[in-house]
Amino acid sequence: MALLILALAGSASMLMPGEVMAAVYKCDDHGKVTYSGTKCASDAQVLSSASDQPINEHGSLTLYLNARHSFTTQGSINDLPVTFVVDTGASVTTISERTAIRAGIKSCTGAGFVATGNGVVRTCSVTIPRLAFGTFHLSDVTVNILPSLSVDALLGMNVLRKMKINQQEDVMFISN
């Protein structure tokens, strides 16, 4: 029997197989953004409470703020190379329709609407067999498909909540 020990906001939580963390909260500690498995303030933003498969590789990734004021990383969806924009404000990892077609995704379920920074848009969701970035490899990950997304993919909190994230000014550290 394997145990999963999560380190969020400097404290460790132990999860038994099949057990999931109730939620992940975004905490602002005097300009330093951290993510915690416990509510850090009465007005803490809940980022995620869904469950996907666990990450099956360990590692760390250091990202630097780019000229567009974004953190990006190279990765793949179903072995198709993509550039992910790290988006801690996105509850679910999202890919463009163009990326979905190139990755061999032929249909999706869960059609509906989502609120984005650019308004409410039509979307659908699908579970993809493989998602990778840095040294991290995940399987059976739920993603949303947005027809008008201008980038390949947004790496959302359904993936990032499984990791320790620390941002200090223009540098983001991701590890598990």
Side-chain angles (χ1 to χ4, degrees), residues 83-94:
T83 300
F84 287 103
V85 175
V86 177
D87 188 349
T88 59
S91 298
V92 177
T93 297
T94 302

Side-chain angles (χ1 to χ4, degrees), residues 1 58 64 71 96 108:
M1 179 184 304
H58 299 287
Y64 299 91
F71 293 99
S96 69
C108 59

Side-chain angles (χ1 to χ4, degrees), residues 25 51-52 64 70 134 140 165:
Y25 300 92
S51 175
D52 284 314
Y64 299 91
S70 299
D140 301 324
I165 302 170

Side-chain angles (χ1 to χ4, degrees), residues 1 16 20 39 42 51 58 61 67 70 72 76 90 104-105 126 132 142 149 173:
M1 179 184 304
M16 300 298 289
V20 295
K39 197 166 187 177
S42 61
S51 175
H58 299 287
L61 183 61
S70 299
T72 60
S76 65
I105 299 168
V126 65
T142 300
L149 190 63
F173 305 97

Side-chain angles (χ1 to χ4, degrees), residues 39-59:
K39 197 166 187 177
C40 47
S42 61
D43 61 345
Q45 179 185 1
V46 178
L47 295 176
S48 182
S49 60
S51 175
D52 284 314
Q53 297 297 314
I55 298 167
N56 62 15
E57 294 207 17
H58 299 287

